[in-house]
Amino acid sequence: MRAIGAPLLLLTPLLHLRIFTYPRSPIFSPPSPPPLLKLLRFHAKITSMAGTTTAAASASDGKHVSSDWFSVPELRLRDHRFTVPLDYSLDDSTSAKISVFAREVVAVGKEELHLPFLLYLQGGPGFECQRPTEASGWISKACEEYRVILMDQRGTGLSTPLTPTSMSQFKSPMELADYLKHFRADNIVKDAEFIRKRLVPDSSPWTVLGQSYGGFCAVTYLSFAPQGLKQVLLTGGIPPIGSGCTADAVYRACFEQIMHQNKKYYRRFPQDVELVHEVVKYLAESEGGGVPLPSGGILTPRGLQLLGLSGLGSSTGFERLHYMFERAWDPILVPGAPKRISYFFLNAYERWLAFDTNPLYALMHESIYCQGASSSWSAHRIRAENESQFDAIKAVKEGRPVLFTGEMIFPWFFDEIQALRPFKDAAHLLAEKKDWPPLYDVASLNDNKVPVAAAVYYEDMYVNFKLVMETASQIAGIRLWITNEYMHSGLRDGGGQVLDHLLGMLNGKKPLF
């Protein structure tokens, strides 16, 4: 689930509900001292942080390199690079190695203070962490009392990034698929533990904040490495944890919410029904059933429907989708010139999807639901069950609104999206792979002792509410804040309010409802 924003809903907010309570009082670090009055200007290497004996030790093993501090407004940052095994199941001397990047962020003047650590796990899969440009939003709030670690999950950002060009180095689809199997939550958690033991003084447990797919990773963390966790905060990120492949259940549940979001969109912009009809009809009647995209791919009616991925569940998504369609056509400058879809629209479409920069999302998305079973192109199969409603050409003929789709990956992506075409065979191998290792341990979650607080968004289009509640009932002691004030990316949309609320739930400062 991508890290995207969401608008406040024009609805009366639900009561904020907390349905499970942690059986004992969590332990909290004492408040941080006030910021220093002057900016401390110095250059820090690995051993410069007071008390970081493990960091000094990691320098000697050659697996951790850190940079000097640098500044953005009101924040100080430094970069860390860790050399980790590609495959943790192998002996360290035999496994191939990759690099994992993490950025340390503190408020100005707190570089050498003894602060508790907070690891942020980004949404995805296949997306890098945000790059702070100033002290704002949840990062500003977190830096009031934490040393924040922004980790690019393996394969993203600066962590041995898997891009269309870098993946082209593999000689066969089988070789690529065999490499990609190591880029799921189980190994992301092992990377986090590798970093914690080298970065946190005395290898102490840290707080983990997981947004969307980052929350899925945090539940994997709770399952297999709870000793590394002081507390866990989840925002729009509680996964289905059933055995086998849960993708079918996820997509069946999500199609219902997607249809609801489509209805809301067209109620908001009823004029777009006809505008979308015009575009679908033009695409269907074009040679080859679509028009060329700037990158070399093709935009078809079913490809157009992908705009719902961000437009139906993100911050100001309805508005951005509407404004995109209002610039769908080139003006007619010369009488008799043919009508054409504008370059602006085609370029905006490709930038909206971002598969050219983050192909790992398309390749690995369905695998996040797999434990010992294949997905077998689940979204494609479940859409077929709803094709009478989602057939765009049929909708135009019948005068119905064309429905956009949501967070779903279809096999035809690898025919129509230029950046993904070279990886079609590898994608099929991953879709049919059955021996995926476990991502969750239900018995461990039932016996959970780590304080957990979660923001659950009632109208979340990406992480279905009903499935969330089923999983929440399996995590001992979890405290839930159920709200429709925000959609999927309340963490970003709410500034520091969502983080503050979750922390307050664990330290007793927020009411039960």
Side-chain angles (χ1 to χ4, degrees):
M1 281 62 59
R2 298 204 237 193
I4 49 181
L8 296 178
L9 297 179
L10 299 177
L11 299 171
T12 303
L14 294 170
L15 293 178
H16 299 165
L17 305 178
R18 188 186 301 167
I19 63 172
F20 299 102
T21 57
Y22 189 69
R24 59 185 177 84
S25 298
I27 300 173
F28 293 91
S29 299
S32 303
L36 299 178
L37 296 176
K38 296 175 67 178
L39 173 65
L40 299 176
R41 299 189 179 278
F42 64 97
H43 296 290
K45 298 295 184 182
I46 283 177
T47 59
S48 66
M49 188 190 303
T52 53
T53 56
T54 55
S58 72
S60 65
D61 68 13
K63 296 178 179 178
H64 173 200
V65 177
S66 66
S67 74
D68 294 338
W69 290 98
F70 64 97
S71 300
V72 299
E74 299 182 45
L75 296 176
R76 293 282 279 167
L77 309 91
R78 68 172 173 178
D79 300 340
H80 300 270
R81 287 174 170 81
F82 301 86
T83 301
V84 307
L86 171 68
D87 183 354
Y88 282 92
S89 70
L90 300 178
D91 183 87
D92 186 66
S93 62
T94 59
S95 173
K97 300 297 189 294
I98 61 172
S99 176
V100 173
F101 173 84
R103 179 163 282 143
E104 181 179 356
V105 185
V106 297
V108 165
K110 294 187 176 182
E111 296 91 333
E112 288 196 280
L113 297 183
H114 290 276
L115 301 171
F117 281 68
L118 182 148
L119 172 69
Y120 175 66
L121 294 175
Q122 170 77 20
F127 284 83
E128 63 274 15
C129 257
Q130 65 195 92
R131 270 44 183 168
T133 57
E134 62 180 359
S136 62
W138 73 263
I139 288 181
S140 179
K141 177 64 184 177
C143 284
E144 291 177 6
E145 57 182 297
Y146 289 99
R147 188 176 297 275
V148 176
I149 304 299
L150 304 175
M151 182 183 79
D152 284 346
Q153 295 164 22
R154 53 170 52 199
T156 74
L158 291 173
S159 295
T160 309
L162 296 175
T163 65
T165 50
S166 68
M167 288 191 294
S168 69
Q169 298 171 34
F170 291 97
K171 297 178 181 178
S172 70
M174 180 69 75
E175 187 179 339
L176 175 58
D178 191 57
Y179 190 83
L180 292 176
K181 71 183 183 183
H182 301 294
F183 288 78
R184 297 201 311 157
D186 49 351
N187 284 310
I188 291 169
V189 168
K190 290 171 184 174
D191 291 340
E193 277 293 273
F194 186 101
I195 292 172
R196 180 184 65 84
K197 292 172 182 177
R198 286 162 173 77
L199 195 60
V200 181
D202 302 317
S203 298
S204 298
W206 55 9
T207 294
V208 168
L209 169 61
Q211 158 64 21
S212 190
Y213 174 67
F216 287 31
C217 296
V219 176
T220 301
Y221 213 146
L222 282 169
S223 295
F224 299 115
Q227 71 280 0
L229 299 170
K230 181 178 181 181
Q231 55 190 7
V232 170
L233 311 170
L234 306 173
T235 57
I238 298 180
I241 59 175
S243 59
C245 184
T246 59
D248 284 12
V250 168
Y251 293 126
R252 285 195 178 97
C254 286
F255 265 111
E256 181 180 346
Q257 185 63 33
I258 289 164
M259 286 188 276
H260 176 63
Q261 292 300 107
N262 272 282
K263 290 177 183 177
K264 287 169 58 180
Y265 174 75
Y266 285 118
R267 282 200 301 267
R268 178 78 177 276
F269 296 108
Q271 65 271 37
D272 286 3
V273 172
E274 183 57 36
L275 185 52
V276 175
H277 278 186
E278 284 187 73
V279 177
V280 168
K281 186 176 180 182
Y282 181 89
L283 294 173
E285 294 175 351
S286 297
E287 184 178 353
V291 300
L293 289 163
S295 69
I298 183 171
L299 177 58
T300 62
R302 63 186 180 184
L304 185 75
Q305 292 173 283
L306 301 182
L307 290 173
L309 174 60
S310 293
L312 296 185
S314 64
S315 176
T316 65
F318 285 6
E319 293 81 2
R320 291 188 298 119
L321 189 58
H322 168 72
Y323 294 144
M324 187 173 168
F325 272 102
E326 72 179 7
R327 293 195 60 182
W329 303 104
D330 271 338
I332 301 297
L333 304 179
V334 177
K339 188 175 185 178
R340 292 183 59 178
I341 292 181
S342 70
Y343 178 86
F344 174 90
F345 183 86
L346 297 175
N347 185 55
Y349 171 84
E350 291 198 303
R351 287 189 289 108
W352 189 294
L353 298 182
F355 289 123
D356 57 339
T357 56
N358 299 84
L360 196 61
Y361 176 78
L363 285 160
M364 299 301 293
H365 188 265
E366 287 199 352
S367 77
I368 71 176
Y369 301 114
C370 297
Q371 303 183 90
S374 64
S375 71
S376 300
W377 294 112
S378 175
H380 187 65
R381 291 184 289 100
I382 303 307
R383 172 174 168 152
E385 298 174 3
N386 298 272
E387 191 61 22
S388 61
Q389 295 169 293
F390 280 87
D391 185 325
I393 297 173
K394 183 179 179 182
V396 171
K397 291 179 179 178
E398 296 177 353
R400 295 184 287 106
V402 172
L403 300 183
F404 298 100
T405 52
E407 187 171 45
M408 298 162 186
I409 303 299
F410 303 109
W412 48 263
F413 281 22
F414 296 86
D415 294 313
E416 298 183 6
I417 299 172
Q418 177 66 21
L420 298 180
R421 284 173 176 169
F423 314 117
K424 177 178 179 178
D425 290 340
H428 282 295
L429 290 171
L430 292 167
E432 298 305 323
K433 180 178 171 62
K434 296 180 179 179
D435 58 343
W436 292 108
L439 293 173
Y440 311 106
D441 184 325
V442 175
S444 179
L445 295 173
N446 289 167
D447 193 41
N448 173 58
K449 300 296 191 300
V450 178
V452 183
V456 177
Y457 307 124
Y458 186 73
E459 293 197 295
D460 197 324
M461 191 184 77
Y462 306 90
V463 182
N464 182 262
F465 177 75
K466 294 177 183 177
L467 299 181
V468 163
M469 299 304 287
E470 289 177 10
T471 297
S473 69
Q474 298 293 313
I475 303 176
I478 192 171
R479 298 180 177 189
L480 300 184
W481 171 34
I482 302 173
T483 178
N484 69 351
E485 284 186 77
Y486 303 103
M487 290 177 70
H488 184 65
S489 274
L491 181 66
R492 188 182 75 180
D493 305 333
Q497 295 178 8
V498 171
L499 177 59
D500 183 59
H501 193 104
L502 293 180
L503 290 170
M505 288 170 64
L506 292 182
N507 64 25
K509 293 183 179 179
K510 294 295 179 182
L512 288 173
F513 50 84

